[in-house]
Amino acid sequence: MSDSSQALSVAQRHAVDELLRITPVIDELGALFHKAGEELYLVGGSVRDALLGRLGHDLDFTTSADPDTTERLLHRFSSAVWTVGKEFGTIGASKKSNGHELQIEITTFRADAYEPDSRKPIVAYGDNVQDDLVRRDFTVNAMAIDVHSKAFVDPHGGIRDLAAKVLRTPTAPEISFSDDPLRMMRACRFAAQLGFKVDPVTFNAMKAMHERIEIVSPERVRDELSKLLLADAPRPGLNLLVASGLADIVLPELPAMRLERDEHFRHKDVYEHSLTVLDQAIALEKARDYKDGKPNPHHQPDLVIRLAALLHDIGKPATRGLDGDKVTFHHHDIVGAKLARKRLRALHYPKAVVDAVGQLIEQHLRFHGYGEASWTDSAVRRYVRDAGDQLEHLHILTRSDCTTRNARKADTLRRAYDELEARIDELAATEELKSIRPDLNGDEIMTILGIAPGPQVGRAYQHMLSVRMDQGPLDHDAAVAELKRWWAAQPHPDAG
């Protein structure tokens, strides 16, 4: 048996096993729609994933029924029905089967398309599954199974492309990408999620049409980028994003890191370094989520650490310089944090994500001072306090940022960070480092000094916080004495 035939045979066995698992649900749905004189097909990603042996609990269907009819039929099938996607022809429902809650979405045969300058798709309903499938993004998502007859519908060779791990459009890619330019980014996402290659004709169309991605809303671009980054292996998808030119539009800071190197500027490839840091961050993200030596079965990919790892050096192109024969990137952490915040805001990421990623990039070099000189307990406290709720992310990013091939240097950095984490744990055990506060609060400061609320209270508070960082916790009497000592040394405009 040839490799391709064997792959097809495995895919077909997977599909049978997966479909048997959900047979009670699809049989009930099939009978319901058939009795109403409507066609119903399991479609798209659900069929693809069934063939790959990874069908989840989200099932996608397409139907000849209009949305009102679909809604009416689903109310007979489930008590949990929702219509948030009805304007796009989609009705949803949930149903328990074999102990699992299945999420079901049924969409009327349709074709989404864009006007040349529109950011929103125009929804047009169709009247047959063949026309629905030809307008889907890739052949591997353009397969369907008739829920009533169990007939397999594959007019564009999707199962063969699935076996060959190739992404190809059902129609000419120029037509497909013109209808929905976001499909070009989906190709990058599937390259990451599935490990598939884009066929040459499709890739050439992506390169030729990459600027059309500009008409797609920032939210849709953001969601595709996030899905790509949350894949187990984002690197192939990111490489495709850059090679196609799409990154020049949606994330220009990424290709900008491919700095030219010559006899003057000899340094590691910043772009490749960043992808390696991302790879290492993902491995650490998973490794640090172990419990009792076993991986956490509920582990979720971490978008913040992955964005920070990818973008941590985006300030280098703007800060590259020479100091004698040495290449420098002075303050690239500060510049990079500003660039990252600006880009993530443009992509409409939530403020919490923007702030966290910016903070991590801004602080990712802090540790290197530890390896060069012994830190006091005060410095360790400040490191923890400044990291705040991003401390675990900072641990991962800092460790991942070591990509040197010099085994001795890498081991020295690893041991230094092991030591820093151990010191953090020791101090945390006695001082609650993550929530360090001064030994006196604002009300106590005002009472002791006999002053009203105002800037002086804030300055006193900051002084006592600095003392807490430098000296650790003080008892109440010592804290009061220190506050009075500081206050006596301050200029008082109203005095004498």
Side-chain angles (χ1 to χ4, degrees), residues 75-275:
H75 275 296
R76 301 179 193 171
F77 169 78
S78 170
S79 59
V81 176
W82 55 90
T83 61
V84 290
K86 190 171 183 177
E87 65 176 310
F88 299 107
T90 300
I91 308 295
S94 62
K95 185 83 166 182
K96 283 191 175 180
S97 176
N98 297 326
H100 295 290
E101 187 84 14
L102 299 179
Q103 304 297 315
I104 293 161
E105 288 194 344
I106 303 179
T107 303
T108 302
F109 295 152
R110 73 183 190 189
D112 290 352
Y114 283 82
E115 292 292 346
D117 298 317
S118 172
R119 287 190 173 214
K120 294 185 178 180
I122 300 168
V123 178
Y125 297 136
D127 58 10
N128 65 85
V129 72
Q130 300 285 345
D131 287 348
D132 182 277
L133 294 178
V134 77
R135 293 183 175 95
R136 291 184 177 260
D137 51 9
F138 301 103
T139 59
V140 296
N141 295 326
M143 298 177 282
I145 297 173
D146 186 319
V147 174
H148 177 69
S149 70
K150 305 302 187 290
F152 182 58
V153 184
D154 182 20
H156 307 290
I159 193 171
R160 286 186 172 80
D161 286 343
L162 191 75
K165 297 185 176 182
V166 170
L167 292 173
R168 185 170 54 86
T169 54
T171 187
E174 293 80 8
I175 296 174
S176 181
F177 297 153
S178 180
D179 281 349
D180 186 353
L182 193 67
R183 290 170 177 169
M184 295 184 284
M185 284 200 66
R186 281 198 206 117
C188 302
R189 191 235 301 180
F190 289 137
Q193 288 180 332
L194 304 175
F196 286 13
K197 302 288 186 183
V198 177
D199 88 301
V201 173
T202 303
F203 176 70
N204 288 337
M206 290 172 66
K207 289 182 67 175
M209 302 180 66
H210 71 274
E211 292 182 350
R212 186 160 169 74
I213 197 68
E214 291 179 327
I215 73 167
V216 180
S217 69
E219 291 84 0
R220 296 184 74 211
V221 169
R222 173 202 65 205
D223 290 347
E224 282 300 325
L225 177 62
S226 295
K227 290 174 184 176
L228 189 166
L229 286 172
L230 293 173
D232 276 347
R235 183 187 285 255
L238 292 168
N239 281 332
L240 181 58
L241 196 71
V242 170
S244 64
L246 288 165
D248 293 336
I249 307 298
V250 303
L251 193 62
E253 295 81 5
L254 184 59
M257 287 192 286
R258 296 180 299 176
L259 296 174
E260 292 183 9
R261 289 174 292 169
D262 55 30
E263 67 273 14
H264 300 295
F265 290 101
R266 296 188 298 273
H267 53 78
K268 69 175 68 175
D269 185 317
V270 179
Y271 173 77
E272 287 297 327
H273 164 74
S274 298
L275 294 188

Side-chain angles (χ1 to χ4, degrees), residues 46-66:
S46 293
V47 176
R48 179 199 71 218
D49 289 345
L51 290 163
L52 290 171
R54 46 181 277 179
L55 183 63
H57 300 142
D58 296 335
L59 304 178
D60 293 325
F61 296 85
T62 188
T63 181
S64 59
D66 61 45

Side-chain angles (χ1 to χ4, degrees), residues 367 399 402 409-419:
F367 159 73
R399 288 182 180 275
C402 177
K409 181 179 179 181
D411 185 59
T412 298
L413 288 170
R414 179 190 58 76
R415 285 188 287 106
Y417 208 88
D418 286 346
E419 180 186 328

